[in-house]
Amino acid sequence: SPGESPRDDPAADGDRGMFAVAGEDDATYEGEWAGGKRHGKGKFIKPDGSYYEGDFKLDKPWGTGTFRNKDGDLYQGRFVEGVRSGFGKYMSAHGEEYEGEFLEGLPCGKGTYTNAAGEVYVGEFVDGYRRGVGTIRWPSGETYEGEVDEGRAYGFGTLMSSDSLSTYKGFWARGQKHGKGLLVSMVGGESVVVEGVWNRGALESEDVG
């Protein structure tokens, strides 16, 4: 992480310039110093193309800044003691995006995650996992609202079809209907209600109303 950059000996407090960083294979820092440490605005660059640009405090990224790693992944947002913490936006080189709250380097709190295929999750995160209560929208147009664990429907929730003609409200496990539920569908202009018990996505017993 950008917070792991080593300390060096700048020429003097308050100097601005390009400095070689000892032990970092010609990595450089350009910015402000205080008390012999990177402190204020600055940019730290490594030979592999990765960099951090923004606020420094006590030799670490601390405040608001931008970090880009050697693979092209980009983070813009808040840092505390060299670690992503607070509100920020992460964009991977492979098309994934997350915007929301971070804690100790991981998504934690409320945020929005979009994968490369266009699936969108808006809701709660715990230790980097989509976990809690949220909404999942698939490119097909289907929408799920309810409890989520590791990015999948898990607990109680509602799934609505893309054409809004079918709605399932009930229990889920590992992304499949599992437990008691109610399925309401429009067929030929009439409402068909199926109330029953599902097991790993398959209807096990039912009452048709």
Side-chain angles (χ1 to χ4, degrees):
S1 72
E4 294 172 351
S5 54
R7 299 179 180 181
D8 57 355
D9 298 315
D13 291 350
D15 278 2
R16 292 186 60 86
M18 190 70 75
F19 295 91
V21 182
E24 270 288 344
D25 298 326
D26 299 323
T28 54
Y29 171 76
E30 182 179 16
E32 298 173 332
W33 302 86
K37 297 178 180 180
R38 291 179 281 270
H39 194 91
K41 301 289 185 181
K43 186 173 184 179
F44 180 82
I45 310 169
K46 292 184 178 181
D48 61 11
S50 62
Y51 69 86
Y52 169 80
E53 183 172 14
D55 297 328
F56 284 81
K57 181 180 178 181
L58 301 176
D59 227 26
K60 298 177 181 179
W62 200 325
T64 301
T66 298
F67 172 65
R68 180 188 184 278
N69 66 18
K70 64 180 180 180
D71 299 318
D73 301 336
L74 188 71
Y75 171 81
Q76 297 173 315
R78 299 289 296 176
F79 290 79
V80 175
E81 294 190 271
V83 179
R84 294 174 295 191
S85 193
F87 189 86
K89 184 174 183 178
Y90 167 83
M91 295 165 283
S92 81
H94 304 293
E96 292 179 299
E97 289 188 8
Y98 170 78
E99 185 170 9
E101 298 172 311
F102 285 80
L103 181 65
E104 296 181 356
L106 297 173
C108 195
K110 294 183 179 180
T112 299
Y113 167 78
T114 305
N115 68 16
E119 178 183 322
V120 180
Y121 170 78
V122 181
E124 298 173 332
F125 291 75
V126 177
D127 296 333
Y129 290 100
R130 288 165 279 172
R131 180 176 293 159
V133 176
T135 299
I136 305 172
R137 299 187 183 94
W138 289 274
S140 64
E142 286 186 304
T143 302
Y144 170 84
E145 295 183 9
E147 295 175 303
V148 175
D149 191 22
E150 296 188 9
R152 297 182 291 181
Y154 209 129
F156 188 84
T158 301
L159 177 71
M160 181 177 290
S161 64
S162 58
D163 54 15
S164 301
L165 296 180
S166 176
T167 301
Y168 169 83
K169 189 173 186 178
F171 290 91
W172 299 77
R174 299 181 178 88
Q176 296 180 314
K177 301 179 185 73
H178 191 78
K180 292 183 179 181
L182 182 70
L183 177 64
V184 180
S185 305
M186 293 298 296
V187 180
E190 295 185 1
S191 178
V192 177
V193 179
V194 177
E195 185 173 4
V197 176
W198 276 257
N199 183 19
R200 297 180 181 178
L203 184 58
E204 198 168 60
S205 62
E206 64 173 293
D207 293 320
V208 180

